[in-house]
Amino acid sequence: MSAEIDHLHTDILILGSGGAGLFAALHAHQSNPELDITVAVKGLLGKCGCTRMVQGGYNVALAPGDSVERHFMDTINGGKWLPDQDLAWTLVERAQERVRELENEVGCFFDRNPDGSVHQKAFAGQTFDRTVHKGDLTGIEIIGRLAEQVWAAGIHRLEEHRALALIPAANSDRLSGVLMTDVRTGKLVFVQARATLLATGGGPTMYRYHTPSGDKSCDGMAMALRAGLPLRDMEMVQFHPTGLLAGNDTRMTGTVLEEGLRGAGGHLLNGEGQRFMLQHDERGERATRDIVSRGIFHEIREGRGTPKGGVYISMSHLGSDKVRQQFKGMVERCADSGFDLAAGQVEVVPTAHYMMGGVIFKPDCTTEMPGLFAAGEDTGGVHGANRLGGNGVANSTVFGGIAGDSMAAWLAEGQQSHAPDTETLEAAARDALLPLENEPGSLLEIQQALHALMWDKAGILRTKERLESAAVELEALDDRLARTGLHDAESLAFNLTWHDWLNLRNQILVSRTIVQAALSRENSRGAHYREDYPDTGDLETSYYTVTELDGTGSIQVHNRDVQFKRIAPGESLLEDEDSGALAASGQ
Ligand SMILES: Cc1cc2nc3c(=O)[nH]c(=O)nc-3n(C[C@H](O)[C@H](O)[C@H](O)COP(=O)(O)OP(=O)(O)OC[C@H]3O[C@@H](n4cnc5c(N)ncnc54)[C@H](O)[C@@H]3O)c2cc1C
């Protein structure tokens, strides 16, 4: 039986309305206002995704004394020499142009110094205070203004439309368009486009504790894998050390308590009331995110956790009035969940925050598949083994804008629309509707099993044994999901159970790439820590992992050498090696 599929046509199809998607739409429109541009998004435009959640800010070298070279060095050092140097250079160089565009064209207002210059605050891992911000609601300012510009430009919107599969053109390796479903009606729709941008924003939501928005389930990476595209650096998942631990029944669990709390002198205490971070690093609680996350995980694993399974953050020794004044937003967030941050103790746990890995792409945002472009958190290579706080939103807006320019330029060359390969299209539709044919089962149990195994076996501390066990469990979960149906399958209109099934299918596939890449990397770099291989490995012979889905459905991993094009380990682009200000805040 073949499912009914509506057809739409557009020149440029953009998947996702975060910083990457919206900037791409605006740039493509500016390049050629005659183009028919459509932004298709799983949620509501301007209201979903992680760019809107950005609190801390945006890294860019603007101030006298700072430079793109310095920002570049920080990015390469922070990424433990694994970033693609052309991508990292593009990020730091074009961030200067993009932040001016945000203020002067898009209409954002960032905080300023008394002399009128843009205020830039300190973030962890940076040798200069370069993080531009709007209080601690930077993302709302950026996405709010960008969404207004997109509406004003007359760009088409397909809101609450979920991309399901990338469909190649008939008899060709190029992309024809994207199979989607209209979440409101449950109908399938194929959007054929001359150029398509993947900007669905990654998001490590397969871990028990995570920070990203609920609409993210690694859909872009999963679609890319199924379309035969390679992903890189998938073992590199960044954990933020202090996620709020407020119980299983609230979405507040996992949300970030900012690093400024530790920077200001906050203490982490185990369930027995003892400080433990000084045993792991002489900087104690002010050590970098990866070290603090490992220290916390170690305490929990050794049975010294709190009743809910985390540790405590304690600020009261700094003076409760001072804490209330300095961290008003954090105090209120904790109070909403029943904790007194200023005078008491708050339970926290490391929380999965960001995926450094993603689709392999070039500085002009092209991918290996003609017609498919990629930008933002769906892509890999910009950050290497670790992302600096403040480089995430810079990444999505810089490369989103470049993608818009590149797609318009590509179409200006005369690239035409290509009809889809109907067999692949129909197979993708059948695949999405698979749960309708199965006996109903518990998706919650599958989700909880996934969260537990990724947290316990493929999270902060990894070993061969635990990763191998995770791989076996993931295969079994995948099989189980494929046999599980929906309890409410009468209508697919706003059928969130169906979307849970689709989310899980993508999360399991991408989890398999994380586990296989983590197994293959037998050293410890940045966010990836192997207890059985604690050394970083030789910097000069650094390599990155590439994962692909083969024809049998297995994940293949191979390594490629990092090209030190602009700088090699031990060299510096800077005349002085003054390390400048190092701060302990960052998101
Ligand atoms: C709590 C939090 C705080 C952060 N703070 C900072 C910070 O201070 N500084 C910083 O630099 N970075 C920060 N980050 C990281 C930053 O938010 C991201 O790196 C960046 O914004 C990602 O942008 P994006 O456009 O790639 O994705 P997003 O902004 O996440 O947008 C993805 C879009 O894709 C849509 N989508 C998803 N799946 C589908 C699908 N199947 N079909 C159609 N649409 C789909 C989503 O609905 C959404 O519109 C933070 C992240 C979080 C979670």
Side-chain angles (χ1 to χ4, degrees):
M1 188 189 81
S2 60
E4 201 177 307
I5 305 173
D6 292 341
H7 283 244
L8 293 176
H9 289 259
T10 189
D11 289 326
I12 292 181
L13 173 63
I14 292 170
L15 304 178
S17 67
L22 294 185
F23 248 108
L26 281 182
H27 269 232
H29 176 75
Q30 282 161 3
S31 299
N32 180 358
E34 301 300 316
L35 288 173
D36 184 282
I37 301 167
T38 304
V39 177
V41 48
K42 203 172 177 181
L44 296 174
L45 194 141
K47 303 286 183 207
C48 55
C50 289
T51 308
R52 196 182 154 78
M53 297 167 81
V54 166
Q55 299 162 358
Y58 189 118
N59 289 347
V60 50
L62 290 180
D66 199 4
S67 63
V68 290
E69 288 82 1
R70 189 176 277 276
H71 188 182
F72 177 73
M73 288 293 302
D74 288 345
T75 301
I76 299 297
N77 276 321
K80 309 292 177 215
W81 293 89
L82 292 198
D84 176 293
Q85 298 199 351
D86 286 343
L87 291 173
W89 183 261
T90 307
L91 170 80
V92 298
E93 193 181 37
R94 301 291 285 273
Q96 293 185 322
E97 167 190 320
R98 198 66 82 239
V99 89
R100 293 204 172 90
E101 208 177 329
L102 275 167
E103 278 221 317
N104 301 336
E105 293 178 33
V106 177
C108 294
F109 288 98
F110 296 121
D111 286 6
R112 306 197 95 79
N113 297 310
D115 68 359
S117 57
V118 174
H119 181 259
Q120 294 185 273
K121 64 180 171 183
F123 251 25
Q126 304 197 54
T127 58
F128 206 91
D129 297 355
R130 67 165 70 92
T131 306
V132 172
H133 63 110
K134 165 91 172 178
D136 57 5
L137 296 175
T138 311
I140 291 182
E141 178 72 357
I142 292 175
I143 286 293
R145 302 291 83 75
L146 275 172
E148 287 165 5
Q149 298 293 336
V150 165
W151 281 321
I155 288 161
H156 302 302
R157 288 178 274 154
L158 287 175
E159 290 178 292
E160 295 185 312
H161 275 64
R162 176 194 184 122
L164 295 167
L166 304 173
I167 308 296
N171 305 319
S172 153
D173 62 349
R174 59 154 293 153
L175 187 69
S176 165
V178 179
L179 176 67
M180 313 198 71
T181 177
D182 178 344
V183 178
R184 297 171 193 180
T185 62
K187 281 189 164 177
L188 297 178
V189 45
F190 176 68
V191 185
Q192 189 170 321
R194 293 164 66 202
T196 297
L197 175 68
L198 196 64
T200 69
T205 49
M206 64 286 278
Y207 287 90
R208 182 184 288 149
Y209 306 109
H210 56 258
T211 65
S213 56
D215 49 332
K216 303 227 289 193
S217 47
C218 303
D219 296 352
M221 294 182 196
M223 290 189 294
L225 277 167
R226 290 191 192 100
L229 287 158
L231 309 185
R232 63 172 283 176
D233 298 327
M234 289 306 288
E235 70 278 27
M236 301 300 177
V237 179
Q238 184 174 67
F239 284 78
H240 196 293
T242 51
L244 185 61
L245 190 50
N248 292 335
D249 303 325
T250 166
R251 278 287 291 142
M252 292 306 289
T253 286
T255 57
V256 169
L257 294 188
E258 66 159 284
E259 276 178 16
L261 297 174
R262 291 187 288 115
H267 288 168
L268 292 170
L269 309 175
N270 64 21
E272 295 160 7
Q274 293 156 345
R275 271 182 89 189
F276 54 88
M277 270 314 301
L278 286 165
Q279 294 158 26
H280 298 277
D281 193 288
E282 60 186 14
R283 292 166 293 181
E285 286 84 354
R286 294 186 187 184
T288 50
R289 278 179 193 178
D290 48 343
I291 293 172
V292 180
S293 293
R294 287 201 288 276
I296 296 176
F297 196 81
H298 179 77
E299 287 304 298
I300 299 169
R301 212 177 54 182
E302 294 301 307
R304 294 188 291 270
T306 60
K308 290 196 188 81
V311 297
Y312 295 111
I313 188 160
S314 174
M315 304 293 291
S316 56
H317 58 281
L318 300 172
S320 53
D321 287 344
K322 187 175 154 201
V323 175
R324 266 187 212 99
Q325 192 188 11
Q326 205 176 336
F327 297 103
K328 187 169 175 293
M330 290 296 112
V331 169
E332 286 170 4
R333 174 176 289 191
C334 292
D336 284 346
S337 298
F339 291 113
D340 183 353
L341 177 66
Q345 293 177 342
V346 180
E347 287 183 75
V348 292
V349 72
T351 179
H353 190 45
Y354 189 90
M355 295 166 82
M356 274 69 75
V359 176
I360 293 181
F361 79 127
K362 293 204 178 130
D364 63 359
C365 295
T366 51
T367 68
E368 286 187 8
M369 186 178 219
L372 181 71
F373 297 74
E377 205 178 322
D378 271 342
T379 61
V382 180
H383 311 293
N386 228 333
R387 171 182 71 88
L388 295 182
N391 267 1
V393 64
N395 173 37
S396 57
T397 54
V398 161
F399 287 102
I402 293 174
D405 298 335
S406 290
M407 289 190 291
W410 202 63
L411 297 193
E413 289 171 10
Q415 298 289 343
Q416 295 306 315
S417 194
H418 292 257
D421 181 82
T422 45
E423 222 171 277
T424 313
L425 179 59
E426 284 173 13
R430 277 196 303 278
D431 203 30
L433 299 174
L434 182 67
L436 303 184
E437 294 168 13
N438 294 337
E439 284 295 310
S442 171
L443 295 179
L444 184 64
E445 277 177 21
I446 298 176
Q447 188 196 52
Q448 286 174 341
L450 174 67
H451 284 173
L453 85 89
M454 289 302 288
W455 172 255
D456 292 334
K457 298 178 176 170
I460 295 163
L461 296 177
R462 299 164 170 176
T463 61
K464 179 171 190 272
E465 198 187 7
R466 286 201 295 273
L467 287 166
E468 282 177 348
S469 161
V472 172
E473 287 182 44
L474 282 169
E475 300 285 338
L477 271 190
D478 203 22
D479 281 354
R480 184 171 161 192
L481 184 73
R483 287 182 277 105
T484 303
L486 314 177
H487 280 291
D488 49 355
E490 292 80 40
S491 163
L492 290 181
F494 254 120
N495 188 324
L496 297 186
T497 319
W498 181 38
H499 287 278
D500 284 344
W501 189 95
L502 294 166
N503 290 344
L504 277 167
R505 198 176 58 136
N506 289 343
Q507 287 163 327
I508 292 173
L509 175 58
V510 175
S511 297
R512 288 172 57 211
T513 67
I514 293 173
V515 167
Q516 292 304 333
L519 259 175
S520 88
R521 180 173 285 285
E522 295 185 336
N523 57 39
S524 293
R525 282 274 177 118
H528 168 75
Y529 192 84
R530 286 281 298 259
E531 289 180 283
D532 42 357
Y533 295 99
D535 293 341
T536 53
D538 180 26
L539 287 188
E540 299 283 350
T541 54
S542 292
Y543 63 88
Y544 60 93
T545 61
V546 177
T547 39
E548 285 174 279
L549 193 61
D550 71 13
T552 68
S554 298
I555 306 287
Q556 301 299 332
V557 188
H558 51 273
N559 300 331
R560 284 188 201 158
D561 292 339
V562 176
Q563 303 293 316
F564 298 123
K565 288 188 183 166
R566 293 167 193 270
I567 184 168
E571 289 177 2
S572 174
L573 288 177
L574 306 175
E575 281 174 15
D576 75 287
E577 272 300 296
D578 169 22
S579 66
L582 254 184
S585 169
Q587 294 183 38

